[in-house]
Amino acid sequence: MTECSEVYDEPDLQADTSGPAGLIALAGTELRLDPAGGLFWPAERMLIVADLHLEKGSSFAARGIALPPYDSRATLMLLVEMAARWRPRIVVSLGDTLHDRRAGTRLGPVEREMLAGLARGREMVWIAGNHDPDAVPELGGVHLPQLAVGGLTLRHEPGARPAAGEIAGHLHPVARVVRRGRSVRRRCFATDGARLVMPALGAYAGGLNVRDRALAGLFAAPFEAHLIGGARTYRIADHVCAPDR
């Protein structure tokens, strides 16, 4: 895969230039895009992530599909690093934190300690997802169907129509860019300035191209994709995003 920095030399392919974290405004609220795939809300000192899908590897293993069993640890390491970077007072996970209803019981001692460390001195909010609709004792914290704060609404699945101030996950957006015969496909934030869809944080979460019909109609205006990876995010105009082959 081509590194992002090798293809961002045209006017519609721009690196977010406000430091390692891109600065955006969503429905008038200033937010920071972390290049690891999280979203930081400075005014609320809130770190937002989506679709960790913890214990997806063990779920597949139970069905005879062998995958390396370290996805939860790798995913939580990203979250731990972001928490150290931003020092939030509250962490919100937008659903599908766990890959299935029993995934919490399969978390190993290292992963449980990582979660406990994250929770020390801060609030943890787990939004209900389609994979984890019920509260999970192993996670602790607070389990909510959605969270409305300061003009923004945080939920798992985007509504069917454009919604100002909505931050959601569920769709695992990725964007693909093709330039001079080379292709980049990365997880991304997708936003039109009113609504934002988060990338999946999970190591095994996979992704859905922003040109897929499942995302059609979500945005009221031309959207931007902010590709993650490396040292910063990269802002891509919607007309540059290519469908998968």
Side-chain angles (χ1 to χ4, degrees), residues 41-156:
W41 185 353
E44 296 290 336
R45 290 182 56 206
M46 179 185 294
L47 177 63
I48 305 166
V49 293
D51 297 284
L52 279 64
H53 285 271
L54 300 178
E55 292 304 305
K56 183 172 182 176
S58 62
S59 176
F60 274 58
R63 290 178 280 163
I65 303 172
L67 291 174
Y70 307 114
D71 55 306
S72 296
R73 192 172 305 180
T75 300
L76 288 172
M77 184 60 69
L78 289 177
L79 184 51
V80 167
E81 290 172 354
M82 283 190 283
R85 186 154 49 242
W86 296 108
R87 299 185 181 276
R89 69 174 182 87
I90 180 170
V91 175
V92 180
S93 180
L94 301 182
D96 287 3
T97 301
L98 300 174
H99 188 66
D100 59 64
R101 292 173 184 262
R102 295 190 55 80
T105 65
R106 302 196 303 274
L107 288 166
V110 172
E111 291 74 21
R112 289 170 187 259
E113 178 54 36
M114 294 173 80
L115 284 165
L118 277 166
R120 292 188 188 108
R122 61 174 56 99
E123 298 177 61
M124 304 294 291
V125 177
W126 313 104
I127 302 298
N130 56 296
H131 282 254
D132 54 357
D134 305 313
V136 177
E138 291 83 4
L139 293 179
V142 178
H143 188 270
L144 298 173
Q146 64 179 35
L147 176 64
V149 181
L152 301 185
T153 300
L154 284 57
R155 57 170 57 104
H156 177 59

Side-chain angles (χ1 to χ4, degrees), residues 1-27:
M1 178 178 290
T2 305
E3 286 299 316
C4 289
S5 59
E6 295 178 8
V7 298
Y8 292 99
D9 57 359
E10 299 184 36
D12 52 2
L13 301 174
Q14 301 176 19
D16 288 323
T17 56
S18 52
L23 175 65
I24 66 166
L26 184 74

